[in-house]
Amino acid sequence: MQTLENRSTSLKKPEKFVYFFSADETDGNAGMKDVLGGKGANLAEMSNLGLPVPPGFTISTEICAHYYENEQLPPWVKPEVESALRKVETKLGKKFGDVANPLLVSVRSGARASMPGMMDTILNLGLNDQTVEGLAKSSQNPRFAWDSYRRFIQMYSDVVMGMNSSLLEVTLEDLKEAKGVHLDTDLSEADLKELVKKFKELVSQMVGRPFPQDPNEQLWGAISAVFKSWNTPRAITYRELHNIPVQWGTAVNIQSMVFGNMGDDSATGVAFTRDPSTGERYFYGEFLVNAQGEDVVAGIRTPQPITSREAKKAGTKSLEDVLPQAYDQLVKIYQKLETYFRDMQDIEFTIERGRLWMLQTRTGKRTASAALQIAIDMIDEKLISEEEAVLRIDPASLDQLLHPTLDPKAQKTQLARGLPASPGGVCGQIVFSSEEAIEWKEQGKKVILVRVETSPEDIGGMIASQGILTTRGGMTSHAAVVARGMGKCCVAGCSEVEIDYKSETLRAKGYVLKKGDLITLDGGVGDVYLGEVKTIDPVLSGAFDRIMKVADRARTLKVRANADTPKDAQVSRQFGAEGIGLCRTEHMFFGADRIDAVREMILADSLAERERALAKLLPMQRSDFYEIFKIMIGFPVTIRLLDPPLHEFVPHTENEMKDLAQRIGWDLDRLRMKLKSLHEFNPMLGHRGCRLAITYPEIYRMQVRAIAEAVAQLTKEGQTISPEIMIPLIATDRELEILRDLAKLEVERVQKEKAIRFTYTIGTMIELPRAAVTADKVAIHADFFSFGTNDLTQTTLGLSRDDSSRFLGTYVSQGILARDPFVTIDQEGVGSLVKMAVDLGRRTRPDLKTGVCGEHGGDPDSVVFFHGVGLDYVSCSPYRVPIARLAAARAALLARKGQH
Amino acid sequence: MQTLENRSTSLKKPEKFVYFFSADETDGNAGMKDVLGGKGANLAEMSNLGLPVPPGFTISTEICAHYYENEQLPPWVKPEVESALRKVETKLGKKFGDVANPLLVSVRSGARASMPGMMDTILNLGLNDQTVEGLAKSSQNPRFAWDSYRRFIQMYSDVVMGMNSSLLEVTLEDLKEAKGVHLDTDLSEADLKELVKKFKELVSQMVGRPFPQDPNEQLWGAISAVFKSWNTPRAITYRELHNIPVQWGTAVNIQSMVFGNMGDDSATGVAFTRDPSTGERYFYGEFLVNAQGEDVVAGIRTPQPITSREAKKAGTKSLEDVLPQAYDQLVKIYQKLETYFRDMQDIEFTIERGRLWMLQTRTGKRTASAALQIAIDMIDEKLISEEEAVLRIDPASLDQLLHPTLDPKAQKTQLARGLPASPGGVCGQIVFSSEEAIEWKEQGKKVILVRVETSPEDIGGMIASQGILTTRGGMTSHAAVVARGMGKCCVAGCSEVEIDYKSETLRAKGYVLKKGDLITLDGGVGDVYLGEVKTIDPVLSGAFDRIMKVADRARTLKVRANADTPKDAQVSRQFGAEGIGLCRTEHMFFGADRIDAVREMILADSLAERERALAKLLPMQRSDFYEIFKIMIGFPVTIRLLDPPLHEFVPHTENEMKDLAQRIGWDLDRLRMKLKSLHEFNPMLGHRGCRLAITYPEIYRMQVRAIAEAVAQLTKEGQTISPEIMIPLIATDRELEILRDLAKLEVERVQKEKAIRFTYTIGTMIELPRAAVTADKVAIHADFFSFGTNDLTQTTLGLSRDDSSRFLGTYVSQGILARDPFVTIDQEGVGSLVKMAVDLGRRTRPDLKTGVCGEHGGDPDSVVFFHGVGLDYVSCSPYRVPIARLAAARAALLARKGQH
């Protein structure tokens, strides 16, 4: 359970908690997001700007905690809400619950951070068997009134009364079939009256009480439902994904209704002030004539583009064409909003009988490449400074730019084309439910979630998938919006594809694909391909390069890459790595041409045998190092000597053992015994790292020789290489002292043999708490410290990375750990050991070079921490180097602003 | 390799490094052990006291480091040694190397701490083909001269020239057989001359160079050999066992020879001023007529008792009978020495033609019970203060008093009787070599090492064994001395037993026992029994109780016991535990009557199933706690909630699985899958401790209820119980906050149900580095901290206890770790986290109770550290409680003296 209710047991009544907004009288403004939520604050600001906003009011986020304290609202909320409602009635000359001219309202959630689709919304509230007649009369459109009523019953029974919404949906479908019509809009007034009757009967039958006729009961039910929805499983999942604290709570917005479904002079739509996919500067959006807002977002009808330029491409009519006056007014408003907020806006509007109403504006979600383009354009437009531009890009979002896309030259068979909802090229096995996506992911499979459309319940499944394919909905459908936010590839509205959930098959172009079959998505184009298509490394935009240059000027932290092979080294350089912070020598041991020599070394019964095997490995290691050094000329390269326990290199299955026994001419039993003797109960805490070299010094001696000989060769070729030799898993200063001497001796031996001098440094990984606590002593023998924060997290928290998945989820959801500590560094625990080690180490050796080479080096929040601790560099996987560069810039800029 | 040579690379020449001693001129004294070694300092002091000490000199321990720096002695040593040698010549009117009246010397090692049998000794140095004739003439005893020469060749070729000594031994035995004699003393002068000739030939043949005839060459070879012997494997093993730093080095003592083998008016012996086995105050020792010192120690001839009282018992003659004048003089000297040194002395003497010479005095090794008796007696004799008495007892030595002895009522079949060399009652499988003892021990077997006699090479085997049985040698033989020092049971000189190494059998009283057969030793009596004999808990002497009372007055640290069962609790009370510091609830889970319920709980697929299984366990746990609380009335009891990973409780072999599947009515495959899902890669860092309760709160809820109901019952019975509930494996304050609330709620529920109030506290184990580093926050929710130093050592050092045996030996021998960190706390690493946690915790909560419940709580050196850190208590296994009490007193007394 979430624990918002535990925060306090006797909350005080706030001075003010109901904030009114209208064209001529508004309590709030855009700066009050904490109290009003994002939606409420922006409604207030739009009102302040004189834009046409239907009057209404916001119940502040503080009341959310009050609600959770007693699972109900305090009594003092009611009079304030009622008085605000009276004010709305006065403004509009309507009365809530009035039979003649009823005021109808929407009730919406609104948290501080935008949580699209996560919270529930109720429209048309105030309708009942009497007021529906009033609405019919006042609107002179009985069909519209009954349609609104049936929509209200559907939403309210689902969201507030907890009824299974598919029952009413089926009733609607049955009726359409009986009447032989295809669209909801084809139903007549009489049909809708009949539908309302059936709906009410069904609700009464299923919920056990009649549908509420009292508008006040409806209102309080809806307000409570909004507060309740803050803690639904899907809201919790979203918050976890986006690191939104449970304490923030949600506000409730109650606003007078305007109707986009009052006929063909009415419409509703959503728009972005720039293209959220590419960042291109043009007005981008979709609308539906004679519809209510949720029709656009839910993706049930396919909406039309707002601008003529786009409509022409799609062969349909634009808002410009259909309602030119409202369109002109909308264009003026969007420009005003963008200039005012100095950022791309995501707006919602409704046109009621030709009159434009603004329902929402907020900073628009965008893809990473759009974010870059917009930031760079806005610098050029003098809207924002370079610093602001850097701070506006979420470093983590770059991830989606840096992943491979489909190889244009690859052979492919197109299956279908949908909307390019979220970019990237991915391949996976198809599954048809989120549950299955999660399950298969846990089994290590790569899956693509295929759904007619997605809903907030699918968030878990979307997270687990490589990509998402939907057959309905547009670019602003749930699937598209959420996938873009996650940086996940998504092809939406791919109507050529037919899905049969029951038989778990997908049909397109005559192909029938079953669950588990492979497909490939190209989210940048919207294509779906049969089977697996080759991918290629991303090509980065000019905007990317410009932002990176700005970031590089701002940052002080160096960024290196973890690279084990010449290929990795190449990629690292392309992404701007300023050296290699971690070259894991053991990865080189697994090559087919060397694994047998490695195994001979491990199985050796004597020093002589071991040295014989090592002699075979020497030339291979030397050439690995030679290649890597050559690529990284001019940059530092840190090579970590052998780290994993030896049993990682030996076969474990019976068949592999047989093969090996035969190849090396051993008796199988002898091999089995030997391998058994290598088994460890807790290999993470076993015979590995520098411990191997304490017992078998000849292993490190060979590796150091390979490094030194490679450097000698390059030195002879006229290059200057200065390798950094890193000794892992140091627990005591004495280990480092012994192995530093060993390495030094070997390097000097090679220098003498080759009659060549070069500089080099010897340092250690700090990855055990003991090394951190005694860092002043360890530093005596270390030229550098590189924090191995993966293992340091495992030991400091006593948490095995391989085993913790069983309970880490519970830990994060219960707020025991704020984040997965293997993704973002645990500052309080692991971080304080890092800080301690840096301080102690520099006390001994003020010029000690310090860096981090755990996965945290590529995590933006962790990078901010490492900047604060004063490390010299971070090192991360090649694809995360730009993320780290941007995060480092962000850290430096925030520090300058005094925010960190 | 040992690293003494690394200590410095350019040592300075000391001002003085050769110290002379003689009856009328002596440079050193007893306070100079650091420089002169124990033997040298005491030779100097005896000289100062005017006792008859053969003149000689000591080369200081500082020269040892010089020797290791260059693997040879610096040139400036030679003139100083030669000048001291000249002085000895002058005192005695003999000349080193003189053909007519040669000076012979002994060369002995002498480290700061006594290392019996570990260092090499050379006697009769200075003999060669010429001087042997001179000695024959001057002593008027040619047989003696040639016997001395052959002994010298044997020793020198072995110790200095590195020749296999058994070759000369075999030659000697062959000659005896050829001559039809039994004892060495039966060989004639001619025989010995022949032997010398053969010895020299053999040496030349085997070593490749002739036996050195130049006395100076002999001398320098012997001095180097002493320095070299400081770093032999056996010396290293001994140092490790006794925690002697490699840096101390050894001194070399060169002393003029006196001879106990010059005929029947000559003798040599060793004696203790009190009985080293019991502590009884009488003169205790052994001697051999016409023998050299090593004959007594080596155990080849069985020596006679010194006093008539003992000789009568053995049916032989005493020194008192044989050489009454010398005996009288010896009695006066021993009394003088004991009064002077204020401690029991171990002395060596030689009588040369009726004249008594003192060769050594040192503080005598003794059994733990003797140490207690002597300490108490010396308080009564006003020789020492109570404080001194406490400080004189090595807390670790109590171990041998606290282990079970044989049940006198048990049925037993006596196999043989030997000497009661070291007390205790043990049972084990017999093995005939140290290698096998070590191997079998590693396989988890309990072994008894059976040898004709032991040598320093056997130390490893002796450590690995439960007890030692030898068929030759007396109470001062190698086996006896070393076993007493280790607190190991030993029956020595058991001549009724016949050993055949080849067939690996032991014969006695017609029984033939093979390797692996069980025997039982009673080291207190000297008995050997067939098979396994029941043992009983030790009965402690009055001296023990008196010392404990003195210790209890001195200490401030409380001592509790780790006790899981009512029986453990009983034993703890008997040993003076002041509460239970760790009651591991999981040990109760393994009972035959409950393991199935535990497994049902683990295998449960739903909360309901799990709760059903837990309901079965509740009454069992409640009655366990009830019994333990009842025994500990008036004392605190800390109960740790479930800690190990669940997979520890499930079967692992195929057969056990089959059984279980049948019993609980599961399909075997389903069971196998379920068990597989519980497997962990690093269980030490896995789903255990409080993590189990975060995911399955119902487990701790049941346990807390069991505790609370047990306390409620006892409260109803009029008792006051205040349980301490301990939550293990806390990494974050939030875990403790959640589980503390859970426990509190459950206790309050029980209190309400039973309408009974009682006080209780809730605390945590600090066993993860993160908990230590964030102890200020953890302490918010903790009434107490108990340091789980076992797991804290594993995580801080990243060292799995189960896997580290593979390299921990190397680590200790290379000085990387001073001690096994699982035995004695690693102060620098783990200790500094303990200190940090105590300081941070008390900052939040000044009244925080702190203790330690890892095995370190019973380790004397660790206890001193815990006292220093300011813990409130230590908790250890019941049998170690007295050790901890004494160590705590020692810590308090040393702190008062400003030594810690």
Side-chain angles (χ1 to χ4, degrees), chain B residues 274-291:
Chain B
R274 304 189 183 212
D275 186 328
S277 244
T278 64
E280 191 187 342
R281 194 183 178 192
Y282 79 93
F283 192 40
Y284 174 95
E286 297 168 325
F287 76 104
L288 280 170
V289 168
N290 198 13

Side-chain angles (χ1 to χ4, degrees), chain A residues 29-72:
Chain A
N29 62 56
M32 295 173 69
K33 284 207 171 66
D34 293 5
V35 176
L36 302 179
K39 187 189 289 275
N42 282 358
L43 282 171
E45 197 63 40
M46 284 200 290
S47 302
N48 288 333
L49 288 170
L51 304 186
V53 174
F57 56 90
T58 304
I59 305 174
S60 85
T61 57
E62 293 161 275
I63 304 305
C64 197
H66 285 277
Y67 176 81
Y68 279 99
E69 191 181 19
N70 299 306
E71 297 275 324
Q72 63 182 35

Side-chain angles (χ1 to χ4, degrees), chain B residues 608-636:
Chain B
E609 278 182 50
R610 202 156 37 246
E611 288 191 326
R612 227 173 2 255
L614 286 167
K616 290 188 203 168
L617 289 168
L618 174 65
M620 305 181 194
Q621 287 251 295
R622 182 177 51 219
S623 92
D624 291 332
F625 295 141
Y626 177 86
E627 294 301 329
I628 289 173
F629 286 140
K630 202 163 177 180
I631 292 162
M632 299 304 293
I633 279 169
F635 293 102

Side-chain angles (χ1 to χ4, degrees), chain A residues 40 259 331 333 336 356 406 409 435 439 453 714 829 849:
Chain A
F259 297 97
V331 166
I333 287 173
K336 190 169 186 174
L356 176 70
L406 300 191
K409 287 180 214 133
E435 293 69 43
E439 239 170 63
E453 49 188 323
L714 279 157
K849 201 193 269 190

Side-chain angles (χ1 to χ4, degrees), chain A residues 678-679 681-685 691 732 734-735 770 773 777 796-798 800 803 806 811 816 826 828 832, chain B residues 3 679 681-685 691 732 735 770 773 777 796-798 800 803 806 811 816 826 828 832:
Chain A
L678 290 172
H679 170 264
F681 293 100
N682 293 290
M684 160 68 209
L685 309 176
R691 293 163 191 174
T732 69
R734 184 83 185 105
E735 290 166 313
R770 195 186 192 283
V773 170
K777 293 202 170 177
T796 303
L797 275 72
S800 164
D803 301 312
R806 215 165 296 176
Y811 265 60
I816 297 172
D826 158 37
E828 198 174 71
S832 76
Chain B
T3 53
H679 170 264
F681 294 99
N682 294 290
M684 161 68 209
L685 309 175
R691 293 163 190 172
T732 70
E735 292 166 311
R770 196 185 191 284
V773 170
K777 293 203 170 176
T796 303
L797 274 72
S800 164
D803 302 313
R806 214 165 298 177
Y811 265 60
I816 296 172
D826 157 38
E828 199 175 71
S832 77

Side-chain angles (χ1 to χ4, degrees), chain B residues 21 37-44 46 51-54 108-111 114-117 121 253 255 258 269-273 297 330 333 337 341 345-350 357-364:
Chain B
F21 56 84
K39 188 190 288 275
N42 282 358
L43 282 170
M46 283 199 291
L51 304 185
V53 175
R108 295 178 208 244
S109 64
S114 161
M115 292 169 69
T121 296
N253 297 293
Q255 190 175 19
V258 287
V270 300
F272 294 87
T273 59
V297 183
L330 186 61
I333 287 173
L337 283 171
F341 286 106
Q345 296 296 297
D346 166 359
I347 59 187
E348 287 182 19
F349 62 90
T350 283
W357 291 96
M358 297 304 296
L359 299 180
Q360 175 167 289
T361 191
R362 58 182 173 188
T363 300

Side-chain angles (χ1 to χ4, degrees), chain A residues 9-182:
Chain A
T9 48
S10 57
L11 294 167
K12 275 192 207 147
K13 177 183 169 186
E15 289 241 346
K16 182 174 177 70
F17 57 89
V18 172
Y19 293 80
F20 195 76
F21 57 84
S22 71
D24 54 359
E25 185 188 355
T26 298
D27 298 333
N29 62 56
M32 295 173 69
K33 284 207 171 66
D34 293 5
V35 176
L36 302 179
K39 187 189 289 275
N42 282 358
L43 282 171
E45 197 63 40
M46 284 200 290
S47 302
N48 288 333
L49 288 170
L51 304 186
V53 174
F57 56 90
T58 304
I59 305 174
S60 85
T61 57
E62 293 161 275
I63 304 305
C64 197
H66 285 277
Y67 176 81
Y68 279 99
E69 191 181 19
N70 299 306
E71 297 275 324
Q72 63 182 35
L73 287 166
W76 38 260
V77 171
K78 206 171 176 186
E80 302 267 336
V81 168
E82 279 171 354
S83 126
L85 196 60
R86 294 296 90 79
K87 215 189 255 182
V88 176
E89 289 173 342
T90 312
K91 294 273 172 211
L92 297 173
K94 296 178 177 179
K95 267 185 90 72
F96 190 58
D98 187 43
V99 179
N101 189 18
L103 167 67
L104 301 186
V105 298
S106 65
V107 178
R108 294 176 208 247
S109 65
R112 216 191 286 193
S114 162
M115 292 169 71
M118 303 304 296
M119 305 296 300
D120 298 301
T121 295
I122 314 257
L123 300 177
N124 308 333
L125 189 139
L127 281 176
N128 60 21
D129 295 352
Q130 281 76 48
T131 56
V132 66
E133 301 287 3
L135 182 63
K137 265 179 220 150
S138 68
S139 66
Q140 296 173 304
N141 187 340
R143 196 207 156 278
F144 149 72
W146 286 98
D147 188 45
S148 299
Y149 192 20
R150 72 94 188 162
R151 284 170 185 267
F152 173 53
I153 297 172
Q154 272 186 285
M155 278 193 213
Y156 195 91
S157 64
D158 174 17
V159 173
V160 181
M161 302 179 84
M163 184 173 156
N164 178 347
S165 61
S166 69
L167 294 174
L168 301 189
E169 195 60 48
V170 168
T171 311
L172 172 63
E173 295 301 318
D174 284 353
L175 184 70
K176 285 199 287 190
E177 209 177 298
K179 301 283 166 183
V181 302
H182 191 64

